[in-house]
Amino acid sequence: MANQTSDKVNTVLQAGDLELLRTSSLTGAVEKELEHLILTGELKPGERLNEIRLSNRFGISRGPLREATRSLAARGLLDVVRNRGVFVRSISVKEALEIYDLRAAIFGLAGRLLVDHVTDEMLATLNDYLQRMDALAEQRNFDDYYPTNLAFHDHLIGATGSASLVNEYHGLVDRLHLCRAKGLVQAGGLAVSNREHREMVDSLAAGDKLRAQEAFFRHVERSKRRFEMAAEADAREDEEKRDGR
Amino acid sequence: MANQTSDKVNTVLQAGDLELLRTSSLTGAVEKELEHLILTGELKPGERLNEIRLSNRFGISRGPLREATRSLAARGLLDVVRNRGVFVRSISVKEALEIYDLRAAIFGLAGRLLVDHVTDEMLATLNDYLQRMDALAEQRNFDDYYPTNLAFHDHLIGATGSASLVNEYHGLVDRLHLCRAKGLVQAGGLAVSNREHREMVDSLAAGDKLRAQEAFFRHVERSKRRFEMAAEADAREDEEKRDGR
DNA sequence: CCGTATTTGTCCGTATGTATG
DNA sequence: ACATACATACGGACAAATACG
């Protein structure tokens, strides 16, 4: 009856990883698993999550599964529609732009806060990051550039010492992955000029809070603009496809 | 057996409001109810939520109740401790200060965004708020000042047109209520000089993004500082009580 | 537009393990 | 060490809403 799709579903993940996940509650483990599936795109925006099939696949009952989905819904990764089910959240370009702004504001706050935490050692570490990224960019080694860039940002965020800030920031980044135009998000993050990074670190070294906040803020705003342009180009393509052909 | 506490619990809320809440799912209705109980302080920070008693009190089964609590936990209003239960989240002064910073950053973003949305009509409305608050402050009519002040801020936040920003901001404000020193939070918000409000509106009228962002940001930072001072005074008091007496 | 199959929402009973005094 | 209370998780059940032919 329901075999047409259940096969496909069963291939995505095998049951039995329970042992590993037993560290926390079942609900928590399933939540992490689902989160992973969503963020990696194995579950795509708009896709529906069938309660029974999913619980069978994880080898659990519907209770913990439902609890996990409500939690993910509250975190903005799933949509729960009454009597219809839960869907992977799909965020519009408009919403993505809003999230970029929030991210800019929080990243800007990170810059402002970091001015009070700056040490010579930290500056050395950051300059090290800059040099590595400069080198990778010159070699056009994008595969290594991307994770280094990520680590650089995570390092900055974490160095604020504010757990709340870290949480909030990552929540926003996660939600950005739910944009249908996910590729565009990555593209926006890649084409970063190292001049922006240098200005960020320099403003920290200068101990100028406002300058740092603005440098950090603008850095995110620029990737927002790149995303925006890519999204517009994308929309134009679709339009041509519909009109022309 | 469990009657010692169940009486008290049963008095807090009666079952039967189901009809009103039937608009959404039971889970959603219970979540709203619990949220209300938490934010009004009827359920206090650190307090434990007994699954069975609560479900009896609401006249529902434990399933929806658990789903509601997981959702509230994801939103930072409850803590779920494995095999021990769920507790109303209790945030430390340190965490409250972190949240103030985030709120400042997002409120600052609101100011920055509003510069692009300013209309004569909006400025008229805002000036109207300012005049009313001036009058109330002069009369020392704090009971009316407080909600007007709240409405003023909500109006600003909403006028950005960014639903994501509104959500994020309110999430932070909600969490701030979970500080044991909740009274201090309110005290911090009350003693607002209207000069700050005027500078905010003026910077919007001037169309200066950076100035607006900074005015909005500092406005929150100042109430953070007031909260901080009150918290320190509070801590000193406790210390004296322990040492002296 | 109608009838059927599917799926969700909710309840209940129960077994098991864990924390607490 | 023991007993109690409680949270976790399971499975079955059924009504109601929804999706589908």
Side-chain angles (χ1 to χ4, degrees), chain B residues 197-237:
Chain B
H197 288 149
R198 232 172 248 297
E199 162 61 10
M200 283 163 46
V201 176
D202 286 350
S203 61
L204 289 183
D208 186 336
K209 285 190 202 185
L210 275 183
R211 183 180 151 198
Q213 183 173 24
E214 187 64 7
F216 278 59
F217 188 98
R218 285 176 115 119
H219 179 54
V220 177
E221 284 292 297
R222 283 199 199 93
S223 58
K224 172 192 169 190
R225 235 165 287 152
R226 281 188 290 270
F227 162 80
E228 198 172 4
M229 283 171 51
E232 279 168 8
D234 225 45
R236 265 194 301 277
E237 257 180 51

Side-chain angles (χ1 to χ4, degrees), chain A residues 15-82:
Chain A
D17 329 54
L18 332 159
E19 303 314 321
L20 260 167
L21 305 168
R22 283 277 178 198
T23 321
S24 81
S25 75
L26 239 195
T27 299
V30 173
E31 183 180 344
K32 280 208 195 82
E33 255 308 302
L34 281 176
E35 179 186 348
H36 181 251
L37 292 175
I38 293 166
L39 293 181
T40 58
E42 289 178 64
L43 291 171
K44 294 185 188 26
E47 190 171 339
R48 166 133 163 278
L49 274 60
N50 184 307
E51 234 175 70
I52 302 155
R53 278 209 284 270
L54 262 187
S55 54
N56 285 341
R57 169 162 144 211
F58 287 132
I60 63 175
S61 65
R62 281 168 62 209
L65 203 238
R66 284 177 65 90
E67 290 173 24
T69 58
R70 306 305 135 151
S71 182
L72 288 165
R75 289 171 50 195
L77 298 183
L78 292 177
D79 263 334
V80 176
V81 185
R82 192 186 179 195

Side-chain angles (χ1 to χ4, degrees), chain B residues 26 60-61 64 83-84:
Chain B
L26 242 193
I60 63 175
S61 67
N83 286 331
R84 291 209 39 221

Side-chain angles (χ1 to χ4, degrees), chain A residues 67-107:
Chain A
E67 290 173 24
T69 58
R70 306 305 135 151
S71 182
L72 288 165
R75 289 171 50 195
L77 298 183
L78 292 177
D79 263 334
V80 176
V81 185
R82 192 186 179 195
N83 287 329
R84 290 208 40 220
V86 347
F87 304 79
V88 177
R89 188 118 193 274
S90 171
I91 74 172
S92 63
V93 171
K94 178 185 185 309
E95 191 177 348
L97 293 175
E98 290 181 3
I99 294 175
Y100 264 113
D101 283 338
L102 288 167
R103 200 177 134 188
I106 291 180
F107 199 59

